[in-house]
Each structure stands twice: as structure tokens, then as C-alpha cells.
Amino acid sequence: MSTPYPEPQLDPMSSPDRSTTGLLEREHVEQEVEPGDHERFAHYVRKEKVLESALSGEPVVALCGKVWVPGRDPKKFPVCPMCKDIYEGLNSGGGDDEGGK
């Protein structure tokens, strides 16, 4: 006497009414690349944030609002004028009063 073969298991993805392509879901984190001069400047970011980014790979936010993962030598680029203006405003107390005039 022969043993019967087991019933084949039907793959739900291979049935005629479904696609044979599986769907892989993953979270996609996309950073917007701002067009223009932001890519040509070195930006101001706190040193500890740059260090954290180097260890974790997380993006940083510059004073001007640019978001990116640092990976190039900032000494090779001019300083972002917007970051520079904001930084100078922070150091001078942030007021528009010029020496009490």
C-alpha cells in the first residue's frame, strides 16, 4: 500500500486573483534637499550635535534651518550668510540697539 502525498499548501500570494509580488513595508525617512546655495556653504551647528550626528547618523539642524547629516570638511566652504547673521545676533544680545544710540 502506498502512502498518499500531503495536500500542497496554497500560497495566498500565488492565487490567480492576487499578485505574485510581495510587499515589503518599511519606514522611509527622506530628507528634503533644498535647492540653491545651502549646499555650497558651511553651516553653524552646536559642536555636541555634530558629534552626536557622527555617532548616530542622525541629521542636524543649522541655525538657518538647513537639515542634513554632516559629512564634509566645513573649512572648504564659505560660511552660510544666514547662519552667520543669526549667530552674530545671538552674540550681541539679539537686539537692534547699536550701542545705546
Side-chain angles (χ1 to χ4, degrees):
M1 185 181 249
S2 65
T3 59
Y5 291 106
E7 290 288 323
Q9 297 293 324
L10 295 177
D11 182 8
M13 295 304 289
S14 65
S15 64
D17 60 331
R18 294 194 182 221
S19 172
T20 58
T21 304
L23 176 64
L24 174 62
E25 291 185 39
R26 63 180 173 165
E27 183 178 337
H28 180 70
V29 179
E30 185 174 318
Q31 297 177 13
E32 291 185 26
V33 177
E34 298 177 16
D37 292 335
H38 283 295
E39 301 302 320
R40 293 184 242 162
F41 291 119
H43 297 273
Y44 285 173
V45 179
R46 291 180 176 252
K47 287 182 183 179
E48 57 269 9
K49 294 294 183 184
V50 173
L51 180 59
E52 287 176 21
S53 176
L55 296 173
S56 69
E58 294 291 318
V60 295
V61 180
L63 288 178
C64 68
K66 175 167 174 54
V67 178
W68 86 107
V69 177
R72 61 185 188 178
D73 184 4
K75 295 176 185 171
K76 295 181 180 179
F77 299 90
V79 174
C80 168
M82 191 180 300
C83 282
K84 187 175 181 177
D85 289 344
I86 295 169
Y87 181 76
E88 288 172 353
L90 293 173
N91 283 339
S92 68
D96 291 331
D97 186 14
E98 295 183 43
K101 289 185 182 177

